[in-house]
Structures are given as structure tokens and as C-alpha cells.
Amino acid sequence: MRGVRMLRPLSIRDFRLLWTGMTVSLLGDGVFYVALAWQVYQLRNAPTALGVVGVAISVPNVLFLLLGGVVSDRVERRVVMIAADLVRGAALLAMGWLAVAGALRLWEVLLLAVPYGAGTAFFGPAFDAIVPDLVPPGLLAEANSLDQFVRPAALRLAGPALGGVLISAWSAGGALVVDGASFFVSVAMLLLMRARPSPAAGAAGPVSAWTEVREGFGFVRRHVWLWGTFLAATVAYLLFMGPTEVLLPFVVKNVMRGSGGDLGLVFAAGGLGAILAAIVVGQRGMPRRHVTAMYVSWAIATFSVAGYGLARLPWQAMAACFAFNAFEAAGTVWWATTKHRLVPARLLGRVSSFDWFISIGLLPVSFALTGPIAHAIGVRATLVWAGVLGGAVTLAALFLPGMRTIERDGSMSGAPVLLASSEAEVGLEVTPAAIGPDAA
């Protein structure tokens, strides 16, 4: 474990429990990506149908994100995650059992997608914010690398492969049941973790939710590396996320005449790319010019989306998916580590919710427009232009004034003071260092 830096955070009991539950849940989500697409296309074989389902998931996700950030800074984050997983697990179990019984209709998929999306709005900010509560600053890069190792391994590699097997051996509905059950394993692991007070537990007097949202927004507005990244992600996701999620399964099924197993292999190739990237980044740590490296990596990933439109055979789509996920994962590790080090703990839930809210704010629009645009200019052309334009927008954001200031001012050279519990658990020395104007 000492030789593989990425594994060091697993020496911390509560992080190990979080990691175990997350791994099982993400494995189920990997099944979900294949099963939901296959199930929807079985109900109605048109890109518009899956696009509408994407809207049903993303709209409540966007609407509840800011509230999710406030709640994750007010309430014990572990409790927030448990509640979110219970809601999402119940929704997917219901969807799966209806499909197995042959009674599932498209409107029921849309109805059950709403609580799933809302639950994700609370889980995401709480999960982002709880990691620095469990892991000392000196191990954050390794913890985020491990996250980016496990996430694609389960979500894009093992999960989709298992989903393809379950669809072939049982049905898409059966695969959805398996995903629903995985959330309850996550709940069990979270219940075994020690309770920790919320960041607001020691606050003097009650503060309104709106005041807390404004405080978080004020912090984001003062830092170009935050708001610039959020806005760049908003435009890029608008351009490529809908086409990728909706049209890639359609291309594999209808253009390449592939099976559910072929779609699982395409996603699995992406998972393999992300795993390799996480291993490399986890061993090498943060690059000196981490913002530049992050944006260049994200731009290459987004340009790779065009490969889906150019692919003629499943192995070519696998290559594009490998490149997309590898470069996306590397950039995400650097981004998460920067955010965890430079954002004060008491604001991290709200800043993470702004990250999600602003970045995916136009995601419902992306899903809604994908079908009509693909009908107008063609499925392949939509994917090619999505990758080209999305990559150009991502790369352009690197040149915003002040974006790379934190590469030059030494903000990342120090680490915040460790909590006593974390210090005792891992036996690290504490070196206080200022990490920004809000650290004081």
C-alpha cells in the first residue's frame, strides 16, 4: 500500500467504507447506463425518446442542486447521502420490477426518473464535500485519483459489461433491479461510518438558506478558476453531453447493428482508459501547471467525442470512448484536488453544488435538442460537431484573464491544517499554510 500512493487513503477506516459502498453503487450505475438506454429503445426506438428521459432526470437534478449544497453544509453529510441513496434505489427497483413484469411504459420511466434525478442532486454535493472530512490534505490527490480509478472501473468498465450480460441473460428490466439493489449496499456502508457533526454545527445563530447560497456564490464569483470553469463546462456540456448520451447507444444499435453487449464493450473501453489515467495521475501527483494540464486534458477529451460520429465499427467507437474517458479522468482528478485544497471546508458543499448546478444547468436543453438536431443534420454529423465545438469552447476558457493565477501564486504549494481526528488516524505531521484569502 505504501508503494502504490493511490491506495494510501484506504488506511482510513471511514474512507474505506465510503469507497466500498461507492464502488458497489457505481457498478450498479454502470449497469444502469446500458440497461436504461436499451429499455427505452425497446419501448420506443427513436433518439427523441431517450432524450426525453434524459430531460426527466436532469431537470430535477438541476432544480434541487443548490438546495442540495445548502443541506450538505447544514446536515451531517453522511445522513444526506443515505437519504439520497434510499430514494434513488427505491425508484430504480420500481422501474426494474415493472419492466420484468412486462408492464413498464415510457411515461412510467419518465415519472420514476424524477426522484432519481432529485436524489442525485443531494448526493453529489454531499459526496464531494465529505471526502476532505475523511482524508487529510496530504492525501487528497491520492483519494481523488482512487475515486477516478474506481468510478470508471465500475461505471464504464465492469458495470456496462455486467449490464450487457444481464440484458442478454435476463432482460433490461432485470439489470435495472440489480442497479436498484446496489444503492442499498451503499446505504449499509454509510451506516457503518462514524457520525460527524455538520460544518454548520458550531455556527452562531440560524442563517437563512438564501444567505448561505449567496455566501457560496460570492466565493465562486471572486475566483476566476471557479466561475470560469463552471461556465466553460456549461457550454461544453450543452454541446456534447446530450449527443453523447442519446446518440452513441443509437449508433451502436441501429447504425452498427450491434447488441447490448457491444454497447457495454464501448463503455467498458472508456472505463479502461479512465482507469489507466487515474493510475498514472495517482502516482505522479499534481503537475506544476495544473490548470493548464487540466484544460488541455479536458479539451482533448471533448474533441474525442467527434470520433463517435466518425466511427463505422464498434472497435472504432471503443477507441474514441477510451480517449474521451482517459483525458476526462485526468483533468477531473486535478480539478477535484484543486477544489478540495482551495475551498474552505464550511463552503465546500455549496461550492460543489454551484459546480454541478452551473455546469449541468443547460443539460436538459442539450437532451431536448439532440433529437431534433440529429433529425435535421444526421446522427453522425451531430456527434462530430458536438465534439469539435465543445473542445474549442473548453480550450478557449484556459485563456480567460486570471484563470491561471493559482499556478503562479503558490496557492497549491501548502496544505490547510488537518483536523485532529484525521491527524491521529494516519499519523501525518501538520504543516499549516495559507491557501488563499479565505483561509484565515
Side-chain angles (χ1 to χ4, degrees), residues 58-69 114 117-119 121-122 125 353 357:
S58 58
V59 166
N61 193 353
V62 171
L63 290 178
F64 285 101
L65 267 172
L66 294 184
L67 179 59
V114 172
F122 287 87
S353 71
F357 178 78

Side-chain angles (χ1 to χ4, degrees), residues 162-339:
L162 177 60
V165 171
L166 287 171
I167 292 171
S168 300
W170 189 3
S171 66
L176 291 172
V177 170
V178 171
D179 181 26
S182 71
F183 283 100
F184 293 92
V185 177
S186 175
V187 168
M189 295 298 103
L190 290 167
L191 287 170
L192 291 174
M193 291 170 57
R194 286 190 292 271
R196 283 174 167 78
S198 68
V207 179
S208 70
W210 178 243
T211 299
E212 293 189 342
V213 169
R214 288 180 59 189
E215 183 184 15
F217 180 75
F219 182 85
V220 170
R221 190 181 58 184
R222 294 194 299 273
H223 296 85
V224 179
W225 66 273
L226 281 172
W227 65 257
T229 300
F230 296 171
L231 292 180
T234 301
V235 179
Y237 284 175
L238 169 67
L239 291 168
F240 81 81
M241 188 62 79
T244 300
E245 297 293 328
V246 173
L247 299 181
L248 179 57
F250 183 85
V251 166
V252 173
K253 184 176 188 294
N254 294 282
V255 178
M256 298 178 181
R257 302 298 179 187
S259 64
D262 292 323
L263 180 59
L265 287 175
V266 171
F267 286 145
L272 180 61
I275 289 169
L276 294 177
I279 293 172
V280 172
V281 173
Q283 285 296 106
R284 296 180 63 87
M286 294 289 287
R288 185 176 61 84
R289 299 178 63 185
H290 59 283
V291 176
T292 301
M294 183 172 69
Y295 268 91
V296 170
S297 185
W298 280 342
I300 295 173
T302 311
F303 284 129
S304 299
V305 172
Y308 295 144
L310 299 174
R312 301 289 174 180
L313 299 170
W315 73 264
Q316 295 167 337
M318 291 169 63
C321 198
F322 180 94
F324 173 82
N325 283 275
F327 287 102
E328 180 77 11
T332 300
V333 171
W334 297 324
W335 165 251
T337 304
T338 302
K339 190 170 61 173

Side-chain angles (χ1 to χ4, degrees), residues 37 50 98 145 182 260 278 284 286 292 426 429:
L50 189 55
L98 285 171
S145 295
S182 71
R284 296 180 63 87
M286 294 289 287
T292 301
V426 298
E429 294 183 0

